[in-house]
Amino acid sequence: MSVRQLPIKPRRRGRSMEQYLTVAETAQYLNTSPRFVRRLVAARRIAFHRVGRHVRFAVTDLDTWLAEGRVEPFPRHRHRPRHHRGGR
């Protein structure tokens, strides 16, 4: 299954350029399925904008959401052998 590249059109917002993505484009950006994106919206776990009955996502909001979900790894400790009690 190949991934089709979708063109992302920047929208003008004042002086700055803000990019807004559709559900399909957001799914591709997050490397997930459109259904997962719709579930995030339904649970209000991700920031989105309503344009009539359409839903759009700002790329800056997606980047912030991704950064907030980052989980740092535990520091690596040296392996210590466990002492076993007899009889178990």
Side-chain angles (χ1 to χ4, degrees), residues 20-65:
Y20 290 92
L21 307 180
T22 64
V23 171
E25 292 168 338
T26 300
Q28 186 177 15
Y29 187 80
L30 298 176
N31 196 27
T32 187
S33 69
R35 180 174 182 231
F36 179 71
V37 174
R38 286 190 296 271
R39 287 174 52 205
L40 291 173
V41 169
R44 295 190 178 262
R45 292 176 48 204
I46 193 167
F48 62 94
H49 299 269
R50 285 215 182 265
V51 181
R53 45 182 248 191
H54 301 282
V55 176
R56 296 293 182 262
F57 304 88
V59 173
T60 54
D61 289 342
L62 295 175
D63 291 338
T64 301
W65 181 77

Side-chain angles (χ1 to χ4, degrees), residues 5 8 10-11 27 30 35 43 79-80 84 88:
Q5 292 292 336
I8 298 173
R11 310 291 198 269
L30 298 176
R35 180 174 182 231
H79 176 68
R80 295 183 191 171
H84 295 283
R88 286 192 176 190

